Amino acid sequence: MAGLAVNIDHIATLRQARGTRYPDPVAAAMIAEMAGADGIVAHLREDRRHIQDRDIRLLRQVVQTRLILEMGVTPEMVGIALDVKPEVVTLVPEKREELTTEGGLDLIVHREKVSEAIENLRSAGILVSVFIDPDVEQIKVAHRVNADMVEIHTGAFCDEVSPSKREKAFADIVNAAKVASKLRLGVNAGHGICYNSIKEFAGLKEIDEFSIGHSIVSRASMVGMEKAVREMRTLISAL
Ligand code: PXP
């Protein structure tokens, strides 16, 4: 059964919108765990637009499943990760002007700095995942630079409306997941997955864990965090 890693960034987005002390992403993480989350994801962005350093440090203390720190490949972030020691780091591309992470990390272009970051993080006992597009060449480089796992970017599939392009985008995900699994990489998937699109992953057994944020936090604003996480957990269990 695939796992569910709940990304709580947008609880912090709501807090930062008003500069209040609530809602607290740390509290959201605790509720998500009680509702069946297998891991908690937080993206510490360079501009600190949602998650703050304080959140990461408190999450490290309270998360009982696995803390997954999403971050850009910069010396500052690697330093924070080595200090905080999350169970997993997911390396993502980061541009200040983007609304959310757009496109996977290009391991061919950034091979040297990614490889160095992976080595530093792994020697501190942190598992490293790389967030990449569903592209076989990227998967092969992930394997060569010793990533423990890949997170396949599902955004192109989830955001596509044309049925034929959607089908092609899904075929790319299936192919990438199978190649990664054959190379014995852990296989995660995420970005843009909602309560409808998750069902389309039925039968794709190569995926070990889904990383989902925006749709869960959005539903949580209507029905509460616990119910929103439980409903997604149930859908994933049925895949
Ligand atoms: N995985 C990665 C690497 C991401 O950057 C994000 C967005 O923060 C997600 C998963 C979750 O995407 P969404 O919020 O669309 O569920």
Side-chain angles (χ1 to χ4, degrees):
M1 187 173 70
L4 167 62
V6 176
N7 179 316
I8 38 85
D9 291 351
H10 295 307
I11 298 288
T13 301
L14 201 52
R15 177 190 61 190
Q16 299 309 113
R18 282 291 181 89
T20 45
R21 295 175 71 180
Y22 58 85
D24 195 324
V26 179
M30 296 176 75
I31 297 170
E33 283 193 329
M34 287 189 276
D38 302 289
I40 299 297
V41 188
H43 184 176
L44 185 64
R45 295 188 72 106
E46 208 183 320
D47 64 7
R48 308 298 198 267
R49 73 172 68 153
H50 38 54
I51 293 292
Q52 305 297 306
D53 297 65
R54 162 267 187 208
D55 301 329
I56 295 293
R57 291 181 192 281
L58 284 177
L59 285 167
R60 174 62 299 172
Q61 288 179 36
V62 304
V63 166
Q64 310 209 11
T65 52
R66 279 173 311 129
L67 176 61
I68 302 156
L69 174 61
E70 244 183 64
M71 57 180 228
V73 193
T74 65
E76 183 203 8
M77 289 301 157
V78 171
I80 291 171
L82 292 175
D83 190 30
V84 170
K85 290 204 169 57
E87 278 77 14
V88 180
V89 158
T90 302
L91 297 175
V92 300
E94 197 176 300
K95 288 193 226 100
R96 277 173 189 271
E97 60 276 17
E98 69 194 358
L99 262 183
T100 176
T101 313
E102 291 164 6
L105 185 58
D106 189 335
L107 298 183
I108 297 163
V109 172
H110 301 292
R111 181 171 178 152
E112 210 169 308
K113 72 172 180 181
V114 171
S115 175
E116 191 186 321
I118 291 177
E119 195 183 326
N120 287 338
L121 294 163
R122 291 190 82 217
S123 45
I126 300 168
L127 295 173
V128 184
S129 175
V130 285
F131 182 56
I132 52 179
D133 289 332
D135 171 338
V136 171
E137 289 313 309
Q138 295 288 337
I139 305 272
K140 287 183 186 162
V141 182
H143 177 62
R144 284 191 213 116
V145 295
N146 285 328
D148 295 285
M149 52 196 123
V150 292
E151 181 177 331
I152 299 173
H153 195 321
T154 52
F157 163 66
C158 293
D159 300 341
E160 184 54 65
V161 284
S162 140
S164 61
K165 287 187 188 158
R166 230 178 129 71
E167 204 174 307
K168 160 82 174 70
F170 194 70
D172 290 344
I173 293 173
V174 173
N175 192 32
K178 289 189 187 297
V179 171
S181 175
K182 275 211 183 94
L183 290 171
R184 301 194 180 282
L185 287 159
V187 187
N188 302 329
H191 213 285
I193 298 175
C194 69
Y195 291 77
N196 290 321
S197 54
I198 189 66
K199 296 174 194 156
E200 301 186 54
F201 290 86
L204 185 50
K205 298 296 177 202
E206 283 79 7
I207 296 184
D208 299 311
E209 188 163 85
F210 291 94
S211 175
I212 308 178
H214 188 263
S215 64
I216 291 179
V217 171
S218 300
R219 184 168 290 214
S221 73
M222 301 289 158
V223 304
M225 192 70 186
E226 184 178 352
K227 193 164 190 286
V229 173
R230 255 188 224 296
E231 286 176 4
M232 187 58 85
R233 181 59 270 175
T234 302
L235 289 172
I236 292 175
S237 302
L239 294 178

